[in-house]
Amino acid sequence: AQGEYLPKAYLLEVIDAIEDAAKDSRIIGIYLKGNISHFEQDSGYPILHEVRKAIDEFKKTGKLVVSYFVDADVKEYFLGSAANKIVMNPLGQLSLKGLTF
């Protein structure tokens, strides 16, 4: 929700958490929810690519990854499409505008 406080997550912390979750037998999956941008700050494609690679490695353990979208853009879909399953709110929107150079 707008105005809701979301803590910042740094790239190495995110990757370490995903790698730790892959090794932890108590964790059966990852649930990706929310925006990758927060208060006009945005993650670039190189960062998203690194997180996506960590998710792909996590999936090799046989554990499940689920993405949930309410409103998503190209960057969010890029990261979320690494999941085994994508769920979208029926009232949500998916904006897949192309890249320009």
Side-chain angles (χ1 to χ4, degrees):
Q2 190 171 5
E4 179 182 321
Y5 174 73
L6 298 173
K8 288 183 181 179
Y10 295 97
L11 177 61
L12 292 177
E13 293 173 333
V14 171
I15 291 173
D16 287 345
I18 294 170
E19 289 173 351
D20 290 346
K23 298 173 193 167
D24 191 331
S25 63
R26 298 170 296 172
I27 296 176
I28 61 170
I30 294 176
Y31 178 63
L32 302 173
K33 178 185 177 208
N35 282 333
I36 58 171
S37 60
H38 177 61
F39 295 111
E40 305 301 322
Q41 298 173 352
D42 205 348
S43 297
Y45 283 105
I47 290 172
L48 297 177
H49 181 69
E50 292 301 317
V51 175
R52 187 182 168 104
K53 284 190 333 187
I55 291 170
D56 287 339
E57 288 299 314
F58 176 87
K59 286 178 17 184
K60 289 179 182 178
T61 67
K63 297 181 180 187
L64 183 65
V65 179
V66 175
S67 291
Y68 174 78
F69 299 124
V70 174
D71 294 314
D73 62 16
V74 174
K75 287 182 177 181
E76 290 163 333
Y77 188 75
F78 171 74
L79 184 60
S81 66
N84 301 92
K85 182 173 188 163
I86 298 173
V87 179
M88 182 149 191
N89 184 307
L91 300 177
Q93 295 181 20
L94 180 60
S95 176
L96 296 178
K97 296 177 183 174
L99 300 173
T100 61
F101 296 95

